[in-house]
Amino acid sequence: MSTVTRAYLDQRLVAGKHCSKEDAMAGAKVATVTTVAVAVPTLASVRMLSWARAHLIPNGQGLIISTVTGMAYFIIANKTILSMARKHSFEDAPDHLKNTLFHCLRYNGSISSV
């Protein structure tokens, strides 16, 4: 077994900070697009439909928009975190763990390469 060095831990910390910043930026981009995509039909329906005008008070409109925006942010940030974690965990894995059936199927497309 090998010991974990301070430099390795520092490298992992820097990589984690970079990944979390990238995740937050991806979530923010999607949240911005989602805000516009949800706000336009919500506000237009309040102006055009009598049912929406009677039942969707401004608090309700804001709640609809912010709920969808928040969900989009967290879904995309979570997907980005998971994809980056998968990528980095496989890249940093020891060689004896990389030589698996999953690796052979994923990159070669057949079981015969095992």
Side-chain angles (χ1 to χ4, degrees):
M1 289 209 120
S2 63
T3 58
V4 177
T5 63
R6 176 76 177 179
Y8 175 77
L9 292 176
D10 289 340
Q11 178 187 10
R12 301 305 298 162
L13 182 63
V14 169
K17 287 182 180 180
H18 173 72
C19 290
S20 65
K21 183 177 180 180
E22 191 172 324
D23 301 335
M25 289 302 297
K29 288 177 185 176
V30 169
T32 303
V33 172
T34 305
T35 300
V36 173
V38 173
V40 169
T42 301
L43 298 175
S45 66
V46 169
R47 293 198 179 263
M48 294 182 206
L49 302 173
S50 60
W51 179 91
R53 187 179 308 119
H55 292 90
L56 292 178
I57 60 173
N59 290 344
Q61 297 166 31
L63 185 62
I64 290 169
I65 295 166
S66 64
T67 301
V68 174
T69 301
M71 287 186 332
Y73 174 84
F74 286 112
I75 289 170
I76 295 301
N78 191 27
K79 283 181 163 261
T80 307
I81 289 169
L82 291 175
S83 68
M84 292 182 80
R86 280 190 205 105
K87 182 178 84 171
H88 292 304
S89 68
F90 187 77
E91 288 173 355
D92 296 339
D95 289 334
H96 72 280
L97 293 177
K98 287 182 180 179
N99 189 15
T100 62
L101 179 62
F102 174 74
H103 171 67
C104 293
L105 287 174
R106 183 171 181 184
Y107 294 104
N108 297 330
S110 67
I111 297 177
S112 61
S113 62
V114 175

